[in-house]
Amino acid sequence: MFEVPPKSSSGATPPVSSIVMIQSDNMSMQMTSNKLDGKNYSAWSQFVQLYVTGKGKLGYLTREKIKSAISDPSFSTWVEENAMLMSWLLNSMTPDINASFLRLPTAHDIWDAVAQTYFTGNDASQIHELRRKAHETRQQGKSLASYFSAPQTIWQKLDFLNPYDMESAKDTATLKKRIENEQVYDFLAGLNPGFDQIRVQVLAQDPTPNLRSTYAFVRREELRQAAMLTSPPQKSSALMTIQHSPSALVSSGSWKPEDKESLFYTHCKGTKHTRETCFKLNGYPDWFRKKGEGLSRHKGGKTDSKAYTTPVHTPQPQYS
C-alpha cells in the first residue's frame, strides 16, 4: 500500500526528498491457500488466474505484457511487477514444488513450466475415472446442497480437461446442451428414493431443463418435505374418533377399554363417556336397570323408579 504524496495549493507535487512512501510487502502475498502440491494443478491454476486477473496483471502470465527496453521509462515498472508476480506464484506452491521454478527469469516462464509439468491435458484415463465418479455419486442421506456440490466439482474438472473444441458457435451450443442433459441425468439418478416423483416430473419435461433449474425444482420439494416433517403434532385420529363417536370404534374393533379414561361429557359432568353414551341424556338401558334392581334386592333396599323410566334409543358399546 502506498501513501499518496500531498500536493501543494498550486497542485504541484513536492520534491522527492520531502515524500515518504511506505509500500506494503506485496512480494509475500499469497493468492490462494490451496497451494500447488503436484496433484491439484487444475484447481490451483484456476485460483491463480482469477486472482491475477482481478489485479489486472494477467498479461505477465500470458506474455501480453512485453518486457520494456532498458531505456524505456516503464522498464523499472515492468521489472518490479514481474518480480511481484513471480513471488505470488512461488508462494502459492509447496516448498518442494517451488524449488524447481525458483531460477526462472519471468512470471510467464514459471507459469508455462508449471503447466508443462503438471497439466495432464486430454488424459483419457483421468477423464474415464472422473466420468465413473460422476455416474456413481449418490445422495445417500446427505443434504441436497452437499450432494449437488460433489458432481459439480467433477463436471468442472471434466470441462477443464476436455474443453469444447467446435468450429461453429451453433455446434458448440448443441454439444454443451447435450453434456448438460447428461449431467441432469446423473444428478437425478443419485437422488434419494424420496424424490422419485420429482425425478419423473423433470424427465417428463421437453426440452429437459438445465442443471440449475433442475436443482431449484428438486430443492423446492426438499423444503416442502422438511416443512411437513416439522409440522406441530396433531391429536391421533383414533382418540379424536373416540371423543366424538365411540360406538363407531366399538363396531370397527379399534376400541380399547383404557381409552375410556380420557372421555369427559360436560352436560352431566361425568367421565368415561360422551354425549352419545350418556344415560341421563339418551335414557338408561334395560341391562343397567336390571343391574340396579338386582343390587337393590341384594341389599334389601328399593330402587328409584324415576331414574329408569326413559327408553333406550341407541345401541351401546360393548367393552371387552
Side-chain angles (χ1 to χ4, degrees):
M1 183 176 180
F2 297 92
E3 180 179 327
V4 179
K7 292 185 177 182
S8 64
S9 56
S10 61
T13 303
V16 176
S17 58
S18 64
I19 300 174
V20 178
M21 301 183 67
I22 303 175
Q23 182 176 4
S24 64
D25 190 11
N26 285 330
M27 304 292 286
S28 62
M29 186 178 297
Q30 292 190 9
M31 292 182 286
T32 172
S33 59
N34 189 23
K35 292 180 176 291
L36 178 67
D37 59 9
K39 301 177 182 179
N40 60 342
Y41 172 78
S42 174
W44 174 86
S45 61
Q46 289 178 330
F47 275 120
V48 170
Q49 287 187 66
L50 285 173
Y51 185 87
V52 174
T53 301
K55 294 294 185 178
K57 308 296 182 184
L58 187 62
Y60 284 92
L61 302 185
T62 61
R63 195 169 272 175
E64 294 175 4
K65 188 74 172 179
I66 305 298
K67 182 179 181 180
S68 307
I70 297 179
S71 59
D72 193 306
S74 64
F75 174 76
S76 60
T77 301
W78 186 94
V79 171
E80 292 171 1
E81 292 187 344
N82 176 68
M84 181 175 64
L85 265 291
M86 291 177 62
S87 177
W88 289 356
L89 290 172
L90 295 171
N91 283 332
S92 66
M93 307 175 191
T94 57
D96 56 324
I97 297 294
N98 66 24
S100 303
F101 309 102
L102 185 60
R103 302 296 181 182
L104 296 177
T106 68
H108 171 75
D109 290 330
I110 294 176
W111 181 251
D112 247 14
V114 172
Q116 292 173 17
T117 305
Y118 297 108
F119 178 53
T120 56
N122 191 5
D123 186 338
S125 61
Q126 188 174 5
I127 292 175
H128 168 74
E129 180 64 16
L130 289 171
R131 288 192 180 279
R132 184 188 65 79
K133 288 182 179 180
H135 291 316
E136 295 179 357
T137 302
R138 295 291 181 267
Q139 186 176 3
Q140 295 180 332
K142 298 190 290 288
S143 69
L144 188 63
S146 177
Y147 162 61
F148 184 64
S149 66
Q152 278 278 92
T153 302
I154 296 174
W155 295 327
Q156 290 171 6
K157 287 181 179 178
L158 284 170
D159 289 341
F160 179 78
L161 292 174
N162 195 20
Y164 309 125
D165 188 17
M166 309 297 290
E167 293 184 359
S168 70
K170 183 178 179 180
D171 289 342
T172 301
T174 301
L175 176 61
K176 185 176 180 181
K177 178 60 179 175
R178 183 182 303 169
I179 292 174
E180 187 165 38
N181 284 348
E182 292 177 357
Q183 294 173 353
V184 170
Y185 302 150
D186 286 345
F187 171 65
L188 292 175
L191 289 171
N192 287 339
F195 294 109
D196 283 349
Q197 187 60 38
I198 296 299
R199 184 184 296 114
V200 172
Q201 293 178 22
V202 172
L203 294 176
Q205 298 183 42
D206 187 18
T208 303
N210 62 40
L211 185 62
R212 299 283 179 186
S213 297
T214 300
Y215 172 76
F217 190 69
V218 177
R219 183 173 179 274
R220 285 194 292 271
E221 174 62 15
E222 181 190 45
L223 295 175
R224 187 190 70 82
Q225 292 182 7
M228 292 178 64
L229 291 174
T230 57
S231 297
Q234 303 293 328
K235 292 183 179 180
S236 73
S237 58
L239 182 57
M240 293 176 68
T241 306
I242 291 172
Q243 293 174 340
H244 292 87
S245 182
S247 58
L249 282 178
V250 172
S251 61
S252 66
S254 58
W255 173 273
K256 296 179 181 179
E258 57 268 24
D259 291 334
K260 292 173 59 180
E261 301 297 329
S262 63
L263 302 179
F264 178 77
Y265 184 39
T266 56
H267 176 72
C268 66
K269 308 300 182 183
T271 60
K272 301 184 180 181
H273 71 282
T274 64
R275 175 188 176 90
E276 293 184 2
T277 56
C278 181
F279 293 163
K280 287 187 177 181
L281 182 65
N282 299 306
Y284 291 86
D286 290 338
W287 63 265
F288 189 86
R289 284 193 305 173
K290 292 177 181 179
K291 180 180 179 180
E293 292 172 355
L295 290 173
S296 298
R297 286 195 299 270
H298 179 73
K299 294 181 179 180
K302 295 182 179 180
T303 59
D304 184 1
S305 60
K306 294 181 180 180
Y308 308 107
T309 57
T310 307
V312 178
H313 298 292
T314 57
Q316 301 306 312
Q318 300 299 317
Y319 306 110
S320 56

